[in-house]
Amino acid sequence: MGLFSKTTPKEKLQKKYEKLMKESYTLSKTNRKASDEKAAEADKVLKAIEAL
């Protein structure tokens, strides 16, 4: 990856998906409802990735 390389929209969505899944996992230990909401949000991002 070069210094000025651009990330594609798909790469951006993949990073967002990974971040949401990590947050969901962390929340699953303390707040199940919030964890489910993050997982649902991540699922929407995954569907957007598949649509590309």
Side-chain angles (χ1 to χ4, degrees):
M1 217 175 204
L3 182 60
F4 296 108
S5 65
K6 303 239 182 206
T7 56
T8 65
K10 187 174 182 178
E11 289 172 334
K12 289 180 184 179
L13 286 173
Q14 286 175 330
K15 285 183 181 181
K16 185 175 182 180
Y17 174 77
E18 290 172 9
K19 180 182 174 218
L20 287 169
M21 289 305 291
K22 187 179 280 189
E23 289 176 12
S24 175
Y25 176 73
T26 304
L27 286 170
S28 71
K29 299 173 187 174
T30 57
N31 187 344
R32 186 65 194 176
K33 185 177 178 183
S35 172
D36 290 344
E37 290 171 359
K38 288 287 183 186
E41 193 176 336
D43 188 50
K44 289 180 185 177
V45 172
L46 182 61
K47 287 182 179 167
I49 291 170
E50 291 172 352
L52 292 177

